[in-house]
Amino acid sequence: MMWSDWRVRTLCAWLVGSAALWGAGCKKEQPQASVLLDAGAMAPASVPETKPVAKPLRFSGVTLKRRPSFVDVTYTLTNPGTAQGRGEVCLALLDEMGFVTHERNLGSITVKGGTDDVFDDSIYLPEEKWDSALTVLLFTVKGRRCEGADFHEASEPLRLRATGGPASADAPAPRRPGKLEPGEVELSGVALRQDGEADEYLLEYTLKNVSRRRINAQACVQGYREDEDVSEDRASVLADDLGVHSLAAGATATFTDRVEFSDTLRWDEVVALDLFLDERGCESKPAAAPVRVRFDKPANVRAPIEGGAPLDEPDAVDPEEETTEEDDAHGAEPAEDETGMDESDAYEPEEEVPREPSPPDEETAD
């Protein structure tokens, strides 16, 4: 039996309406055609914005070059993501067990998404620290502090031998020693001295690791005035972070660190000092540090004399030295018999050759 055209159309319309109500369509929804926007027009709110994707940075092309007390590091950083990569590049020295023995910031970096860039950095690194390392670790962090940061925070860390070649696959994973505990390190031989009249204060001390593990700790010094409560928090002008030291189990080492107070004139106020070790350095109270030694300031350590002669000028005159009549004569104009010249030796004004004037208070050479 043949259906009339109007019955067929009615049935199709009923089927299409039912599919719209129940969500059981017969064909897939076609994507919306892209619309070109006029200049200055706003995109429809329904169009989602694509967010930049951050991926770990990758190291490649690393070269290490040793110089006396310095290391030159060249490396390429690739950013495989679409978000801009920013932060700090870090270098860590590791021992045979994978423990960090020393960490340094190489420098700040910025790498746009989908690009790479080559960096050249040079850092101060004494030979004794480098020679004790088995491998070197390069990594980046999002902040500005390398110490204590996650090795995988912002990049794929790269492990190398100290020679610059790739580390062996079975090298132990990098890690940091645990927190320093009381009784693990002995502190002795503390001596503070001042070199001449200059702003140069040196603190010497000996550390002995009496534990069975590697120890890393920050050394710190804090000075106290006569009327100061030593149980208070640190006084910023009288405190200074010294070196970060790493000692293997059973090792003993002597260190000499420079003490730099923010105001060197305050040295005359100091009567006693604390030398202590803590992983947080001067951020912690000396009384709470696992290792601490209290000592009096030596009588010959004082604030620098303003206008004093630098240490590299051995011929500088002592400002307290009295001036003699003979010195006054030397400072006067030289006599004719001292120069070996008379009026007949003088040049005519038009023939005179300009030259640097002689410094005042100096004798003219024969």
Side-chain angles (χ1 to χ4, degrees):
M1 180 178 66
M2 301 296 294
W3 287 29
S4 63
D5 292 343
W6 70 268
R7 289 181 178 178
V8 173
R9 289 196 295 269
T10 301
L11 178 60
C12 289
W14 181 83
L15 290 174
V16 172
S18 299
L21 291 175
W22 294 99
C26 297
K27 62 179 179 179
K28 294 182 180 179
E29 183 179 357
Q30 298 297 322
Q32 296 181 355
S34 59
V35 180
L36 295 178
L37 300 178
D38 294 335
M42 297 182 63
S46 59
V47 178
E49 294 183 1
T50 303
K51 294 183 178 180
V53 178
K55 293 184 178 181
L57 304 178
R58 296 172 184 168
F59 285 92
S60 62
V62 179
T63 60
L64 304 174
K65 182 180 179 182
R66 282 308 317 264
R67 292 187 291 122
S69 299
F70 286 87
V71 175
D72 299 327
V73 187
T74 301
Y75 53 94
T76 298
L77 276 175
T78 301
N79 185 353
T82 58
Q84 187 180 66
R86 304 183 64 181
E88 197 81 6
V89 178
C90 309
L91 180 147
L93 304 181
L94 313 179
D95 66 4
E96 67 280 359
M97 301 297 293
F99 285 111
V100 173
T101 63
H102 191 69
E103 291 181 84
R104 287 297 307 273
N105 289 47
L106 288 182
S108 300
I109 54 94
T110 300
V111 185
K112 294 182 179 180
T115 66
D116 56 47
D117 203 350
V118 179
F119 299 88
D120 293 286
D121 292 311
S122 181
I123 57 171
Y124 172 75
L125 197 59
E127 287 83 352
E128 61 270 15
K129 294 185 180 296
W130 184 268
D131 293 341
S132 63
L134 179 66
T135 56
V136 179
L137 185 73
L138 293 177
F139 61 101
T140 68
V141 294
K142 296 178 181 178
R144 299 188 61 86
R145 183 176 177 84
C146 294
E147 293 82 358
D150 182 3
F151 300 130
H152 299 268
E153 178 181 347
S155 66
E156 297 177 359
L158 180 65
R159 189 82 168 269
L160 302 169
R161 293 186 181 275
T163 57
S168 60
D170 58 349
R175 49 183 174 164
R176 293 183 175 88
K179 180 181 177 181
L180 176 64
E181 299 294 339
E184 290 188 314
V185 171
E186 294 178 353
L187 175 58
S188 62
V190 180
L192 176 66
R193 69 179 186 271
Q194 179 182 6
D195 283 354
E197 306 290 350
D199 181 11
E200 185 93 28
Y201 302 87
L202 302 176
L203 185 61
E204 183 177 294
Y205 53 96
T206 298
L207 300 178
K208 182 178 181 180
N209 183 357
V210 295
S211 72
R212 296 183 178 180
R213 65 184 184 95
R214 176 170 288 279
I215 294 293
N216 288 358
Q218 169 84 59
C220 179
V221 65
Q222 176 167 317
Y224 300 100
R225 295 180 289 268
E226 186 173 4
D227 58 348
E228 189 170 4
D229 184 357
V230 298
S231 63
E232 294 179 353
D233 291 336
R234 69 182 179 125
S236 59
V237 296
L238 298 177
D240 186 30
D241 289 328
L242 305 179
V244 178
H245 304 305
S246 181
L247 291 175
T252 301
T254 299
F255 304 95
T256 301
D257 291 329
R258 183 173 181 175
V259 181
E260 296 180 340
F261 289 161
S262 59
D263 184 0
T264 56
L265 297 180
R266 304 291 292 273
W267 271 105
D268 285 341
E269 303 177 20
V270 175
V271 296
L273 301 100
D274 269 335
L275 173 61
F276 61 97
L277 273 69
D278 200 302
E279 67 274 4
R280 295 180 299 171
C282 286
E283 297 301 322
S284 61
K285 295 182 180 180
V291 183
R292 180 180 62 140
V293 168
R294 171 75 54 79
F295 61 99
D296 295 332
K297 186 191 74 171
N300 59 349
V301 173
R302 58 188 184 277
I305 298 176
E306 294 189 14
L311 292 178
D312 57 352
E313 293 185 13
D315 296 332
V317 178
D318 188 342
E320 298 180 358
E321 185 178 353
E322 296 184 0
T323 303
T324 64
E325 295 181 0
E326 183 180 357
D327 294 330
D328 291 336
H330 289 169
E333 291 293 331
E336 290 185 359
D337 58 347
E338 288 181 307
T339 62
M341 296 176 61
D342 56 21
E343 294 181 4
S344 63
D345 297 319
Y347 293 102
E348 292 296 330
E350 63 271 13
E351 297 179 0
E352 186 174 358
V353 179
R355 63 176 181 176
E356 290 291 332
S358 300
D361 301 335
E362 281 191 4
E363 296 184 0
T364 305
D366 293 337

